PDB file of all heavy atoms in Angstrom:
ATOM      1  N   GLU S 183      25.909-168.164 -81.095  1.00 92.00           N
ATOM      2  CA  GLU S 183      24.754-167.276 -81.318  1.00 92.00           C
ATOM      3  C   GLU S 183      23.766-167.389 -80.164  1.00 92.00           C
ATOM      4  O   GLU S 183      22.908-166.540 -79.994  1.00 92.00           O
ATOM      5  CB  GLU S 183      24.013-167.663 -82.604  1.00 92.00           C
ATOM      6  CG  GLU S 183      24.875-167.679 -83.840  1.00 92.00           C
ATOM      7  CD  GLU S 183      24.452-168.807 -84.780  1.00 92.00           C
ATOM      8  OE1 GLU S 183      23.545-169.591 -84.408  1.00 92.00           O
ATOM      9  OE2 GLU S 183      25.047-168.905 -85.869  1.00 92.00           O
ATOM     10  N   ASP S 193      35.824-163.138 -89.881  1.00 86.00           N
ATOM     11  CA  ASP S 193      34.819-163.741 -90.733  1.00 86.00           C
ATOM     12  C   ASP S 193      35.443-164.990 -91.330  1.00 86.00           C
ATOM     13  O   ASP S 193      36.251-164.933 -92.251  1.00 86.00           O
ATOM     14  CB  ASP S 193      34.404-162.735 -91.812  1.00 86.00           C
ATOM     15  CG  ASP S 193      33.035-163.093 -92.342  1.00 86.00           C
ATOM     16  OD1 ASP S 193      32.512-164.164 -91.968  1.00 86.00           O
ATOM     17  OD2 ASP S 193      32.493-162.311 -93.130  1.00 86.00           O
ATOM     18  N   ASP S 194      35.063-166.135 -90.755  1.00 82.00           N
ATOM     19  CA  ASP S 194      35.778-167.359 -91.098  1.00 82.00           C
ATOM     20  C   ASP S 194      35.534-167.866 -92.508  1.00 82.00           C
ATOM     21  O   ASP S 194      36.395-168.479 -93.096  1.00 82.00           O
ATOM     22  CB  ASP S 194      35.431-168.465 -90.093  1.00 82.00           C
ATOM     23  CG  ASP S 194      36.260-168.336 -88.844  1.00 82.00           C
ATOM     24  OD1 ASP S 194      37.461-168.609 -88.924  1.00 82.00           O
ATOM     25  OD2 ASP S 194      35.719-167.948 -87.798  1.00 82.00           O
ATOM     26  N   LYS S 195      34.347-167.615 -93.014  1.00 83.00           N
ATOM     27  CA  LYS S 195      34.064-168.169 -94.334  1.00 83.00           C
ATOM     28  C   LYS S 195      35.000-167.560 -95.388  1.00 83.00           C
ATOM     29  O   LYS S 195      35.676-168.287 -96.099  1.00 83.00           O
ATOM     30  CB  LYS S 195      32.596-167.957 -94.687  1.00 83.00           C
ATOM     31  CG  LYS S 195      32.053-169.090 -95.544  1.00 83.00           C
ATOM     32  CD  LYS S 195      30.689-168.794 -96.100  1.00 83.00           C
ATOM     33  CE  LYS S 195      29.579-169.126 -95.124  1.00 83.00           C
ATOM     34  NZ  LYS S 195      28.245-169.057 -95.794  1.00 83.00           N
ATOM     35  N   PRO S 196      35.081-166.238 -95.480  1.00 87.00           N
ATOM     36  CA  PRO S 196      36.024-165.640 -96.430  1.00 87.00           C
ATOM     37  C   PRO S 196      37.462-166.072 -96.199  1.00 87.00           C
ATOM     38  O   PRO S 196      38.246-166.144 -97.143  1.00 87.00           O
ATOM     39  CB  PRO S 196      35.884-164.139 -96.194  1.00 87.00           C
ATOM     40  CG  PRO S 196      34.607-163.954 -95.498  1.00 87.00           C
ATOM     41  CD  PRO S 196      34.240-165.227 -94.829  1.00 87.00           C
ATOM     42  N   VAL S 197      37.812-166.338 -94.958  1.00 90.00           N
ATOM     43  CA  VAL S 197      39.188-166.749 -94.682  1.00 90.00           C
ATOM     44  C   VAL S 197      39.560-167.935 -95.550  1.00 90.00           C
ATOM     45  O   VAL S 197      40.556-167.919 -96.272  1.00 90.00           O
ATOM     46  CB  VAL S 197      39.379-167.113 -93.191  1.00 90.00           C
ATOM     47  CG1 VAL S 197      40.637-167.944 -93.007  1.00 90.00           C
ATOM     48  CG2 VAL S 197      39.452-165.856 -92.353  1.00 90.00           C
ATOM     49  N   SER S 198      38.740-168.989 -95.486  1.00 92.00           N
ATOM     50  CA  SER S 198      39.100-170.165 -96.267  1.00 92.00           C
ATOM     51  C   SER S 198      38.742-169.951 -97.737  1.00 92.00           C
ATOM     52  O   SER S 198      39.459-170.394 -98.626  1.00 92.00           O
ATOM     53  CB  SER S 198      38.428-171.419 -95.710  1.00 92.00           C
ATOM     54  OG  SER S 198      37.058-171.233 -95.552  1.00 92.00           O
ATOM     55  N   PHE S 199      37.651-169.231 -97.969  1.00 94.00           N
ATOM     56  CA  PHE S 199      37.282-168.961 -99.357  1.00 94.00           C
ATOM     57  C   PHE S 199      38.439-168.274-100.082  1.00 94.00           C
ATOM     58  O   PHE S 199      38.872-168.702-101.150  1.00 94.00           O
ATOM     59  CB  PHE S 199      36.030-168.081 -99.408  1.00 94.00           C
ATOM     60  CG  PHE S 199      35.459-167.907-100.789  1.00 94.00           C
ATOM     61  CD1 PHE S 199      34.366-168.657-101.201  1.00 94.00           C
ATOM     62  CD2 PHE S 199      36.009-167.003-101.685  1.00 94.00           C
ATOM     63  CE1 PHE S 199      33.841-168.517-102.478  1.00 94.00           C
ATOM     64  CE2 PHE S 199      35.506-166.852-102.971  1.00 94.00           C
ATOM     65  CZ  PHE S 199      34.409-167.612-103.368  1.00 94.00           C
ATOM     66  N   ASN S 200      38.953-167.245 -99.492  1.00 93.00           N
ATOM     67  CA  ASN S 200      40.022-166.490-100.140  1.00 93.00           C
ATOM     68  C   ASN S 200      41.305-167.295-100.278  1.00 93.00           C
ATOM     69  O   ASN S 200      42.020-167.177-101.268  1.00 93.00           O
ATOM     70  CB  ASN S 200      40.310-165.201 -99.373  1.00 93.00           C
ATOM     71  CG  ASN S 200      39.145-164.242 -99.441  1.00 93.00           C
ATOM     72  OD1 ASN S 200      38.317-164.318-100.348  1.00 93.00           O
ATOM     73  ND2 ASN S 200      39.049-163.338 -98.469  1.00 93.00           N
ATOM     74  N   ALA S 201      41.577-168.096 -99.268  1.00 95.00           N
ATOM     75  CA  ALA S 201      42.778-168.927 -99.343  1.00 95.00           C
ATOM     76  C   ALA S 201      42.652-169.893-100.515  1.00 95.00           C
ATOM     77  O   ALA S 201      43.589-170.045-101.317  1.00 95.00           O
ATOM     78  CB  ALA S 201      42.976-169.685 -98.033  1.00 95.00           C
ATOM     79  N   VAL S 202      41.506-170.527-100.609  1.00 96.00           N
ATOM     80  CA  VAL S 202      41.299-171.487-101.698  1.00 96.00           C
ATOM     81  C   VAL S 202      41.321-170.757-103.045  1.00 96.00           C
ATOM     82  O   VAL S 202      41.930-171.222-104.018  1.00 96.00           O
ATOM     83  CB  VAL S 202      39.960-172.236-101.511  1.00 96.00           C
ATOM     84  CG1 VAL S 202      39.657-173.104-102.732  1.00 96.00           C
ATOM     85  CG2 VAL S 202      40.014-173.096-100.255  1.00 96.00           C
ATOM     86  N   GLN S 203      40.686-169.597-103.070  1.00 96.00           N
ATOM     87  CA  GLN S 203      40.676-168.815-104.308  1.00 96.00           C
ATOM     88  C   GLN S 203      42.101-168.462-104.734  1.00 96.00           C
ATOM     89  O   GLN S 203      42.447-168.529-105.902  1.00 96.00           O
ATOM     90  CB  GLN S 203      39.849-167.537-104.097  1.00 96.00           C
ATOM     91  CG  GLN S 203      39.608-166.742-105.374  1.00 96.00           C
ATOM     92  CD  GLN S 203      38.761-167.535-106.386  1.00 96.00           C
ATOM     93  OE1 GLN S 203      37.665-167.989-106.062  1.00 96.00           O
ATOM     94  NE2 GLN S 203      39.274-167.725-107.594  1.00 96.00           N
ATOM     95  N   PHE S 215      42.032-180.466 -97.979  1.00 96.00           N
ATOM     96  CA  PHE S 215      41.673-179.618 -96.843  1.00 96.00           C
ATOM     97  C   PHE S 215      41.843-180.427 -95.570  1.00 96.00           C
ATOM     98  O   PHE S 215      41.249-181.488 -95.410  1.00 96.00           O
ATOM     99  CB  PHE S 215      40.224-179.148 -97.012  1.00 96.00           C
ATOM    100  CG  PHE S 215      39.779-178.110 -96.012  1.00 96.00           C
ATOM    101  CD1 PHE S 215      40.614-177.067 -95.638  1.00 96.00           C
ATOM    102  CD2 PHE S 215      38.495-178.169 -95.473  1.00 96.00           C
ATOM    103  CE1 PHE S 215      40.189-176.098 -94.732  1.00 96.00           C
ATOM    104  CE2 PHE S 215      38.063-177.201 -94.561  1.00 96.00           C
ATOM    105  CZ  PHE S 215      38.917-176.166 -94.203  1.00 96.00           C
ATOM    106  N   THR S 217      41.381-180.192 -91.605  1.00 92.00           N
ATOM    107  CA  THR S 217      40.719-179.311 -90.641  1.00 92.00           C
ATOM    108  C   THR S 217      40.306-180.065 -89.381  1.00 92.00           C
ATOM    109  O   THR S 217      40.592-181.243 -89.223  1.00 92.00           O
ATOM    110  CB  THR S 217      39.486-178.641 -91.289  1.00 92.00           C
ATOM    111  OG1 THR S 217      38.918-177.700 -90.392  1.00 92.00           O
ATOM    112  CG2 THR S 217      38.438-179.675 -91.659  1.00 92.00           C
ATOM    113  N   THR S 218      39.647-179.346 -88.478  1.00 88.00           N
ATOM    114  CA  THR S 218      39.153-179.963 -87.248  1.00 88.00           C
ATOM    115  C   THR S 218      37.694-180.346 -87.439  1.00 88.00           C
ATOM    116  O   THR S 218      37.102-180.087 -88.469  1.00 88.00           O
ATOM    117  CB  THR S 218      39.213-178.950 -86.100  1.00 88.00           C
ATOM    118  OG1 THR S 218      38.599-177.741 -86.536  1.00 88.00           O
ATOM    119  CG2 THR S 218      40.633-178.664 -85.690  1.00 88.00           C
ATOM    120  N   GLU S 219      37.150-180.930 -86.422  1.00 82.00           N
ATOM    121  CA  GLU S 219      35.732-181.270 -86.461  1.00 82.00           C
ATOM    122  C   GLU S 219      34.883-180.006 -86.541  1.00 82.00           C
ATOM    123  O   GLU S 219      35.285-178.937 -86.103  1.00 82.00           O
ATOM    124  CB  GLU S 219      35.355-182.066 -85.215  1.00 82.00           C
ATOM    125  CG  GLU S 219      35.856-183.490 -85.246  1.00 82.00           C
ATOM    126  CD  GLU S 219      35.179-184.308 -86.342  1.00 82.00           C
ATOM    127  OE1 GLU S 219      34.028-183.980 -86.700  1.00 82.00           O
ATOM    128  OE2 GLU S 219      35.812-185.259 -86.837  1.00 82.00           O
ATOM    129  N   ASP S 220      33.692-180.175 -87.043  1.00 71.00           N
ATOM    130  CA  ASP S 220      32.858-179.016 -87.337  1.00 71.00           C
ATOM    131  C   ASP S 220      32.227-178.324 -86.138  1.00 71.00           C
ATOM    132  O   ASP S 220      31.725-177.213 -86.252  1.00 71.00           O
ATOM    133  CB  ASP S 220      31.720-179.419 -88.280  1.00 71.00           C
ATOM    134  CG  ASP S 220      32.202-179.466 -89.708  1.00 71.00           C
ATOM    135  OD1 ASP S 220      33.319-178.989 -89.953  1.00 71.00           O
ATOM    136  OD2 ASP S 220      31.456-179.964 -90.555  1.00 71.00           O
ATOM    137  N   TYR S 221      32.248-178.972 -84.981  1.00 69.00           N
ATOM    138  CA  TYR S 221      31.488-178.337 -83.895  1.00 69.00           C
ATOM    139  C   TYR S 221      32.131-177.052 -83.395  1.00 69.00           C
ATOM    140  O   TYR S 221      31.477-176.224 -82.786  1.00 69.00           O
ATOM    141  CB  TYR S 221      31.234-179.303 -82.730  1.00 69.00           C
ATOM    142  CG  TYR S 221      32.473-179.926 -82.159  1.00 69.00           C
ATOM    143  CD1 TYR S 221      33.281-179.222 -81.265  1.00 69.00           C
ATOM    144  CD2 TYR S 221      32.831-181.223 -82.489  1.00 69.00           C
ATOM    145  CE1 TYR S 221      34.408-179.800 -80.744  1.00 69.00           C
ATOM    146  CE2 TYR S 221      33.955-181.804 -81.973  1.00 69.00           C
ATOM    147  CZ  TYR S 221      34.743-181.083 -81.097  1.00 69.00           C
ATOM    148  OH  TYR S 221      35.863-181.659 -80.576  1.00 69.00           O
ATOM    149  N   LEU S 222      33.411-176.895 -83.660  1.00 68.00           N
ATOM    150  CA  LEU S 222      33.985-175.581 -83.393  1.00 68.00           C
ATOM    151  C   LEU S 222      33.393-174.630 -84.411  1.00 68.00           C
ATOM    152  O   LEU S 222      33.461-174.880 -85.610  1.00 68.00           O
ATOM    153  CB  LEU S 222      35.502-175.595 -83.573  1.00 68.00           C
ATOM    154  CG  LEU S 222      36.296-176.190 -82.429  1.00 68.00           C
ATOM    155  CD1 LEU S 222      37.784-175.969 -82.654  1.00 68.00           C
ATOM    156  CD2 LEU S 222      35.874-175.573 -81.106  1.00 68.00           C
ATOM    157  N   SER S 223      32.848-173.545 -83.929  1.00 62.00           N
ATOM    158  CA  SER S 223      32.198-172.620 -84.850  1.00 62.00           C
ATOM    159  C   SER S 223      33.124-172.289 -86.014  1.00 62.00           C
ATOM    160  O   SER S 223      32.723-172.257 -87.159  1.00 62.00           O
ATOM    161  CB  SER S 223      31.791-171.350 -84.108  1.00 62.00           C
ATOM    162  OG  SER S 223      32.837-170.898 -83.281  1.00 62.00           O
ATOM    163  N   VAL S 224      34.389-172.077 -85.707  1.00 70.00           N
ATOM    164  CA  VAL S 224      35.326-171.737 -86.762  1.00 70.00           C
ATOM    165  C   VAL S 224      35.470-172.862 -87.780  1.00 70.00           C
ATOM    166  O   VAL S 224      35.553-172.628 -88.979  1.00 70.00           O
ATOM    167  CB  VAL S 224      36.720-171.381 -86.189  1.00 70.00           C
ATOM    168  CG1 VAL S 224      36.646-170.132 -85.346  1.00 70.00           C
ATOM    169  CG2 VAL S 224      37.302-172.525 -85.393  1.00 70.00           C
ATOM    170  N   GLY S 225      35.495-174.106 -87.301  1.00 75.00           N
ATOM    171  CA  GLY S 225      35.695-175.240 -88.187  1.00 75.00           C
ATOM    172  C   GLY S 225      34.616-175.311 -89.260  1.00 75.00           C
ATOM    173  O   GLY S 225      34.908-175.399 -90.460  1.00 75.00           O
ATOM    174  N   LYS S 226      33.398-175.211 -88.820  1.00 83.00           N
ATOM    175  CA  LYS S 226      32.256-175.303 -89.731  1.00 83.00           C
ATOM    176  C   LYS S 226      32.340-174.245 -90.832  1.00 83.00           C
ATOM    177  O   LYS S 226      32.241-174.541 -92.030  1.00 83.00           O
ATOM    178  CB  LYS S 226      30.967-175.106 -88.920  1.00 83.00           C
ATOM    179  CG  LYS S 226      29.689-175.091 -89.730  1.00 83.00           C
ATOM    180  CD  LYS S 226      29.292-176.496 -90.134  1.00 83.00           C
ATOM    181  CE  LYS S 226      27.902-176.499 -90.768  1.00 83.00           C
ATOM    182  NZ  LYS S 226      27.879-175.804 -92.054  1.00 83.00           N
ATOM    183  N   LEU S 227      32.531-173.012 -90.416  1.00 85.00           N
ATOM    184  CA  LEU S 227      32.526-171.926 -91.389  1.00 85.00           C
ATOM    185  C   LEU S 227      33.665-172.035 -92.384  1.00 85.00           C
ATOM    186  O   LEU S 227      33.523-171.731 -93.559  1.00 85.00           O
ATOM    187  CB  LEU S 227      32.598-170.582 -90.655  1.00 85.00           C
ATOM    188  CG  LEU S 227      31.319-170.218 -89.923  1.00 85.00           C
ATOM    189  CD1 LEU S 227      31.551-169.049 -88.975  1.00 85.00           C
ATOM    190  CD2 LEU S 227      30.226-169.880 -90.922  1.00 85.00           C
ATOM    191  N   ARG S 228      34.800-172.470 -91.873  1.00 89.00           N
ATOM    192  CA  ARG S 228      35.939-172.579 -92.774  1.00 89.00           C
ATOM    193  C   ARG S 228      35.716-173.689 -93.792  1.00 89.00           C
ATOM    194  O   ARG S 228      36.103-173.580 -94.949  1.00 89.00           O
ATOM    195  CB  ARG S 228      37.217-172.828 -91.976  1.00 89.00           C
ATOM    196  CG  ARG S 228      37.603-171.585 -91.183  1.00 89.00           C
ATOM    197  CD  ARG S 228      38.897-171.755 -90.431  1.00 89.00           C
ATOM    198  NE  ARG S 228      39.085-170.637 -89.513  1.00 89.00           N
ATOM    199  CZ  ARG S 228      40.088-170.534 -88.662  1.00 89.00           C
ATOM    200  NH1 ARG S 228      41.009-171.491 -88.604  1.00 89.00           N
ATOM    201  NH2 ARG S 228      40.181-169.500 -87.857  1.00 89.00           N
ATOM    202  N   THR S 229      35.100-174.758 -93.321  1.00 91.00           N
ATOM    203  CA  THR S 229      34.786-175.841 -94.247  1.00 91.00           C
ATOM    204  C   THR S 229      33.829-175.333 -95.326  1.00 91.00           C
ATOM    205  O   THR S 229      34.018-175.583 -96.522  1.00 91.00           O
ATOM    206  CB  THR S 229      34.149-177.019 -93.483  1.00 91.00           C
ATOM    207  OG1 THR S 229      35.023-177.396 -92.430  1.00 91.00           O
ATOM    208  CG2 THR S 229      33.932-178.204 -94.408  1.00 91.00           C
ATOM    209  N   ASP S 230      32.819-174.605 -94.908  1.00 91.00           N
ATOM    210  CA  ASP S 230      31.879-174.034 -95.877  1.00 91.00           C
ATOM    211  C   ASP S 230      32.614-173.185 -96.907  1.00 91.00           C
ATOM    212  O   ASP S 230      32.357-173.279 -98.110  1.00 91.00           O
ATOM    213  CB  ASP S 230      30.842-173.154 -95.162  1.00 91.00           C
ATOM    214  CG  ASP S 230      29.897-173.977 -94.300  1.00 91.00           C
ATOM    215  OD1 ASP S 230      29.915-175.225 -94.431  1.00 91.00           O
ATOM    216  OD2 ASP S 230      29.156-173.383 -93.507  1.00 91.00           O
ATOM    217  N   GLY S 231      33.520-172.357 -96.435  1.00 93.00           N
ATOM    218  CA  GLY S 231      34.256-171.479 -97.349  1.00 93.00           C
ATOM    219  C   GLY S 231      35.052-172.273 -98.365  1.00 93.00           C
ATOM    220  O   GLY S 231      35.127-171.906 -99.548  1.00 93.00           O
ATOM    221  N   TYR S 232      35.607-173.366 -97.904  1.00 94.00           N
ATOM    222  CA  TYR S 232      36.365-174.243 -98.810  1.00 94.00           C
ATOM    223  C   TYR S 232      35.463-174.765 -99.921  1.00 94.00           C
ATOM    224  O   TYR S 232      35.774-174.636-101.106  1.00 94.00           O
ATOM    225  CB  TYR S 232      36.956-175.388 -97.987  1.00 94.00           C
ATOM    226  CG  TYR S 232      37.489-176.560 -98.774  1.00 94.00           C
ATOM    227  CD1 TYR S 232      38.726-176.500 -99.398  1.00 94.00           C
ATOM    228  CD2 TYR S 232      36.751-177.740 -98.858  1.00 94.00           C
ATOM    229  CE1 TYR S 232      39.222-177.598-100.103  1.00 94.00           C
ATOM    230  CE2 TYR S 232      37.227-178.841 -99.555  1.00 94.00           C
ATOM    231  CZ  TYR S 232      38.466-178.768-100.181  1.00 94.00           C
ATOM    232  OH  TYR S 232      38.950-179.850-100.868  1.00 94.00           O
ATOM    233  N   TYR S 233      34.318-175.316 -99.528  1.00 95.00           N
ATOM    234  CA  TYR S 233      33.391-175.853-100.526  1.00 95.00           C
ATOM    235  C   TYR S 233      32.923-174.769-101.490  1.00 95.00           C
ATOM    236  O   TYR S 233      32.877-174.956-102.703  1.00 95.00           O
ATOM    237  CB  TYR S 233      32.171-176.488 -99.840  1.00 95.00           C
ATOM    238  CG  TYR S 233      32.468-177.810 -99.181  1.00 95.00           C
ATOM    239  CD1 TYR S 233      32.063-178.070 -97.878  1.00 95.00           C
ATOM    240  CD2 TYR S 233      33.145-178.824 -99.873  1.00 95.00           C
ATOM    241  CE1 TYR S 233      32.327-179.285 -97.270  1.00 95.00           C
ATOM    242  CE2 TYR S 233      33.418-180.043 -99.271  1.00 95.00           C
ATOM    243  CZ  TYR S 233      33.003-180.273 -97.968  1.00 95.00           C
ATOM    244  OH  TYR S 233      33.277-181.475 -97.384  1.00 95.00           O
ATOM    245  N   GLU S 234      32.589-173.642-100.937  1.00 95.00           N
ATOM    246  CA  GLU S 234      32.027-172.586-101.774  1.00 95.00           C
ATOM    247  C   GLU S 234      33.033-172.074-102.801  1.00 95.00           C
ATOM    248  O   GLU S 234      32.665-171.788-103.942  1.00 95.00           O
ATOM    249  CB  GLU S 234      31.508-171.436-100.909  1.00 95.00           C
ATOM    250  CG  GLU S 234      30.192-171.813-100.230  1.00 95.00           C
ATOM    251  CD  GLU S 234      29.675-170.729 -99.307  1.00 95.00           C
ATOM    252  OE1 GLU S 234      30.033-169.542 -99.491  1.00 95.00           O
ATOM    253  OE2 GLU S 234      28.906-171.070 -98.388  1.00 95.00           O
ATOM    254  N   ALA S 235      34.277-171.981-102.380  1.00 96.00           N
ATOM    255  CA  ALA S 235      35.285-171.502-103.321  1.00 96.00           C
ATOM    256  C   ALA S 235      35.432-172.487-104.479  1.00 96.00           C
ATOM    257  O   ALA S 235      35.523-172.095-105.647  1.00 96.00           O
ATOM    258  CB  ALA S 235      36.618-171.306-102.613  1.00 96.00           C
ATOM    259  N   LEU S 236      35.446-173.780-104.135  1.00 96.00           N
ATOM    260  CA  LEU S 236      35.561-174.771-105.201  1.00 96.00           C
ATOM    261  C   LEU S 236      34.365-174.677-106.143  1.00 96.00           C
ATOM    262  O   LEU S 236      34.515-174.608-107.369  1.00 96.00           O
ATOM    263  CB  LEU S 236      35.645-176.181-104.600  1.00 96.00           C
ATOM    264  CG  LEU S 236      36.909-176.495-103.783  1.00 96.00           C
ATOM    265  CD1 LEU S 236      36.873-177.928-103.273  1.00 96.00           C
ATOM    266  CD2 LEU S 236      38.166-176.262-104.612  1.00 96.00           C
ATOM    267  N   GLN S 237      33.166-174.643-105.546  1.00 96.00           N
ATOM    268  CA  GLN S 237      31.953-174.598-106.359  1.00 96.00           C
ATOM    269  C   GLN S 237      31.930-173.385-107.279  1.00 96.00           C
ATOM    270  O   GLN S 237      31.647-173.498-108.467  1.00 96.00           O
ATOM    271  CB  GLN S 237      30.715-174.579-105.450  1.00 96.00           C
ATOM    272  CG  GLN S 237      30.299-175.975-105.011  1.00 96.00           C
ATOM    273  CD  GLN S 237      29.411-175.954-103.779  1.00 96.00           C
ATOM    274  OE1 GLN S 237      29.206-174.905-103.169  1.00 96.00           O
ATOM    275  NE2 GLN S 237      28.876-177.111-103.419  1.00 96.00           N
ATOM    276  N   SER S 238      32.257-172.242-106.708  1.00 96.00           N
ATOM    277  CA  SER S 238      32.147-171.033-107.521  1.00 96.00           C
ATOM    278  C   SER S 238      33.198-170.999-108.622  1.00 96.00           C
ATOM    279  O   SER S 238      33.168-170.144-109.493  1.00 96.00           O
ATOM    280  CB  SER S 238      32.209-169.787-106.645  1.00 96.00           C
ATOM    281  OG  SER S 238      33.526-169.523-106.282  1.00 96.00           O
ATOM    282  N   ILE S 243      33.924-181.296-106.206  1.00 93.00           N
ATOM    283  CA  ILE S 243      34.382-181.559-104.849  1.00 93.00           C
ATOM    284  C   ILE S 243      34.691-183.037-104.675  1.00 93.00           C
ATOM    285  O   ILE S 243      33.897-183.893-105.057  1.00 93.00           O
ATOM    286  CB  ILE S 243      33.308-181.112-103.842  1.00 93.00           C
ATOM    287  CG1 ILE S 243      33.286-179.582-103.796  1.00 93.00           C
ATOM    288  CG2 ILE S 243      33.579-181.698-102.464  1.00 93.00           C
ATOM    289  CD1 ILE S 243      32.065-179.020-103.133  1.00 93.00           C
ATOM    290  N   GLU S 245      35.400-185.593-101.795  1.00 93.00           N
ATOM    291  CA  GLU S 245      35.370-185.739-100.341  1.00 93.00           C
ATOM    292  C   GLU S 245      36.615-186.445 -99.805  1.00 93.00           C
ATOM    293  O   GLU S 245      36.962-186.300 -98.636  1.00 93.00           O
ATOM    294  CB  GLU S 245      34.118-186.494 -99.898  1.00 93.00           C
ATOM    295  CG  GLU S 245      32.829-185.667 -99.946  1.00 93.00           C
ATOM    296  CD  GLU S 245      32.834-184.481 -98.972  1.00 93.00           C
ATOM    297  OE1 GLU S 245      33.661-184.477 -98.026  1.00 93.00           O
ATOM    298  OE2 GLU S 245      32.037-183.544 -99.170  1.00 93.00           O
ATOM    299  N   VAL S 248      39.144-184.193 -98.175  1.00 94.00           N
ATOM    300  CA  VAL S 248      38.852-183.475 -96.927  1.00 94.00           C
ATOM    301  C   VAL S 248      39.116-184.380 -95.734  1.00 94.00           C
ATOM    302  O   VAL S 248      38.534-185.455 -95.618  1.00 94.00           O
ATOM    303  CB  VAL S 248      37.393-183.001 -96.895  1.00 94.00           C
ATOM    304  CG1 VAL S 248      37.077-182.340 -95.561  1.00 94.00           C
ATOM    305  CG2 VAL S 248      37.135-182.034 -98.050  1.00 94.00           C
ATOM    306  N   LYS S 250      39.251-184.611 -91.598  1.00 92.00           N
ATOM    307  CA  LYS S 250      38.889-183.941 -90.340  1.00 92.00           C
ATOM    308  C   LYS S 250      39.565-184.614 -89.152  1.00 92.00           C
ATOM    309  O   LYS S 250      39.461-185.825 -88.977  1.00 92.00           O
ATOM    310  CB  LYS S 250      37.372-183.968 -90.154  1.00 92.00           C
ATOM    311  CG  LYS S 250      36.690-183.127 -91.213  1.00 92.00           C
ATOM    312  CD  LYS S 250      35.262-182.794 -90.886  1.00 92.00           C
ATOM    313  CE  LYS S 250      34.706-181.947 -92.030  1.00 92.00           C
ATOM    314  NZ  LYS S 250      33.262-181.739 -91.937  1.00 92.00           N
ATOM    315  N   VAL S 274      45.175-177.056 -97.977  1.00 96.00           N
ATOM    316  CA  VAL S 274      44.793-175.970 -97.073  1.00 96.00           C
ATOM    317  C   VAL S 274      44.696-176.580 -95.683  1.00 96.00           C
ATOM    318  O   VAL S 274      43.954-177.543 -95.480  1.00 96.00           O
ATOM    319  CB  VAL S 274      43.433-175.362 -97.461  1.00 96.00           C
ATOM    320  CG1 VAL S 274      43.020-174.322 -96.437  1.00 96.00           C
ATOM    321  CG2 VAL S 274      43.504-174.755 -98.848  1.00 96.00           C
ATOM    322  N   VAL S 276      43.951-176.019 -91.553  1.00 93.00           N
ATOM    323  CA  VAL S 276      43.156-175.088 -90.757  1.00 93.00           C
ATOM    324  C   VAL S 276      44.013-174.265 -89.791  1.00 93.00           C
ATOM    325  O   VAL S 276      43.639-173.185 -89.382  1.00 93.00           O
ATOM    326  CB  VAL S 276      42.035-175.852 -90.021  1.00 93.00           C
ATOM    327  CG1 VAL S 276      42.596-176.554 -88.796  1.00 93.00           C
ATOM    328  CG2 VAL S 276      40.901-174.915 -89.643  1.00 93.00           C
ATOM    329  N   LEU S 304      45.516-171.580 -92.479  1.00 95.00           N
ATOM    330  CA  LEU S 304      44.459-170.606 -92.158  1.00 95.00           C
ATOM    331  C   LEU S 304      44.717-169.886 -90.839  1.00 95.00           C
ATOM    332  O   LEU S 304      43.904-169.096 -90.383  1.00 95.00           O
ATOM    333  CB  LEU S 304      43.094-171.291 -92.144  1.00 95.00           C
ATOM    334  CG  LEU S 304      42.676-171.913 -93.476  1.00 95.00           C
ATOM    335  CD1 LEU S 304      41.254-172.445 -93.404  1.00 95.00           C
ATOM    336  CD2 LEU S 304      42.792-170.898 -94.615  1.00 95.00           C
TER     337      LEU S 304
END
Side-chain angles (χ1 to χ4, degrees):
Chain S
E183 304 144 356
D193 202 353
D194 278 289
K195 213 190 276 190
V197 162
S198 51
F199 188 100
N200 293 338
V202 173
Q203 188 64 55
F215 188 41
T217 185
T218 50
E219 286 294 332
D220 279 349
Y221 55 80
L222 281 188
S223 45
V224 295
K226 177 77 172 67
L227 289 167
R228 290 183 190 176
T229 305
D230 291 349
Y232 166 78
Y233 286 132
E234 285 177 24
L236 293 181
Q237 276 161 353
S238 78
I243 287 165
E245 285 296 342
V248 176
K250 294 196 180 171
V274 175
V276 79
L304 299 186

